[in-house]
Amino acid sequence: MWTLFPIRDISWIVAFSFTIGSATFVINGFFLLLPLIDPATDFATETPYATPASSVLGTLIFLIGGYAGLLEGLNLTGKEMTLTDVQTLRVSSSTTQSNDDANEVHATSLAPLLGSSTFIYLPTMHQLLTTYACSLPFHAGWVQFVGTIIFSMATITSLPGILASSPSLAPLLNLLPATLGGLLFITASVLQILNVQEKWWVPQPLKGDWQVGFWNATGSLGFTLAGALPALGTETATYFGTLADFWGSWAFLFGSLVQFYIVMGYYA
């Protein structure tokens, strides 16, 4: 899984980005939670440097993953092809590629390769109103991308010194974006789950993609609570909000690892 890097496979970029981003947020969760549980674990550079740096890095990687997820939704929906159709398309669109690229064409099985003539970066208005209007992968992709943008606003305003002179604005400029971003993550995850289920009311937990959506939804719930609970203004609420951020990061990491495993399965 960690010795092959098919950087032209948009599904791989999505899975890899969210895996690394989630792992970064897990580290950030340790920085936030451990001082509350055991103040002796705090170190001089933790609050001013380690915590904000890990938060910013995780957010930047999530932004990359969110945009890649939007592109994945566009290209998975673009033709609704079977596995054989996708492989045929990729072979026909890569006759000038090297042998390594040709092997990648045969191995991958999701969306058209990034940079190929069939890859969709920006749909037409007609495509939006027809092909994508009822596409759950597309809607999950753009909802998640918007969520990452809003979530990044909370990261920026949480940096040391940003709201130091106006702490009364924290609920509006920090906690609200964090909560809204988490809610959009939940929405995107639910759309992913519904896309997997043959009947929307029948869960299919034995499917890998269903597990991805479920754990992402669980992690997104943690991110939402991390923004919403501190708004209550009590130490207990802040503690449980920090705890929700911690277990939410772990849940999102697990879902991302499952997604990464599924993608790399096409290269086995």
Side-chain angles (χ1 to χ4, degrees):
M1 283 176 58
W2 302 100
T3 59
L4 185 65
F5 301 89
I7 59 174
R8 294 184 61 198
D9 189 333
I10 195 66
S11 297
W12 179 87
I13 295 176
V14 173
F16 184 78
S17 298
F18 280 116
T19 298
I20 301 301
S22 299
T24 305
F25 277 121
V26 167
I27 295 173
N28 177 258
F30 276 109
F31 289 147
L32 291 171
L33 185 62
L34 284 179
L36 299 179
I37 298 176
D38 184 5
T41 61
D42 196 6
F43 52 92
T45 58
E46 182 173 22
T47 299
Y49 299 111
T51 302
S54 57
S55 178
V56 169
L57 180 60
T59 300
L60 289 175
I61 299 174
F62 260 42
L63 282 169
I64 295 173
Y67 180 62
L70 173 61
L71 293 179
E72 182 186 35
L74 285 172
N75 287 275
L76 286 179
T77 306
K79 300 189 183 300
E80 294 292 345
M81 293 176 285
T82 64
L83 173 60
T84 303
D85 293 332
V86 175
Q87 291 175 330
T88 301
L89 171 62
R90 287 175 168 178
V91 171
S92 64
S93 64
S94 60
T95 53
T96 60
Q97 293 177 330
S98 65
N99 289 334
D100 290 341
D101 286 340
N103 290 334
E104 183 180 16
V105 168
H106 285 286
T108 55
S109 59
L110 294 177
L113 293 175
L114 186 66
S116 67
S117 60
T118 56
F119 193 86
I120 300 172
Y121 296 94
L122 185 65
T124 64
M125 183 59 66
H126 176 71
Q127 288 176 317
L128 286 175
L129 296 176
T130 55
T131 304
Y132 298 106
C134 299
S135 168
L136 291 181
F138 169 70
H139 290 300
W142 75 258
V143 168
Q144 188 169 54
F145 182 48
V146 173
T148 58
I149 294 175
I150 296 176
F151 190 81
S152 66
M153 296 173 58
T155 299
I156 294 173
T157 55
S158 68
L159 296 177
I162 297 296
L163 295 177
S165 60
S166 304
S168 60
L169 294 178
L172 177 64
L173 300 181
N174 180 258
L175 301 181
L176 181 60
T179 303
L180 290 178
L183 288 173
L184 289 174
F185 285 170
I186 292 176
T187 303
S189 300
V190 171
L191 291 175
Q192 292 172 354
I193 292 174
L194 293 177
N195 184 59
V196 173
Q197 296 176 178
E198 296 178 4
K199 296 179 180 179
W200 68 267
W201 64 89
V202 180
Q204 294 185 289
L206 296 182
K207 289 188 175 181
D209 288 333
W210 191 94
Q211 289 290 331
V212 173
F214 173 79
W215 288 106
N216 284 353
T218 304
S220 300
L221 176 61
F223 292 153
T224 303
L225 293 175
L229 290 178
L232 298 177
T234 65
E235 291 186 6
T236 301
T238 300
Y239 171 78
F240 279 104
T242 305
L243 188 62
D245 177 78
F246 184 71
W247 58 255
S249 299
W250 276 104
F252 215 99
L253 175 59
F254 185 77
S256 299
L257 283 171
V258 174
Q259 184 179 17
F260 188 60
Y261 179 81
I262 291 172
V263 173
M264 295 309 296
Y266 294 112
Y267 295 89

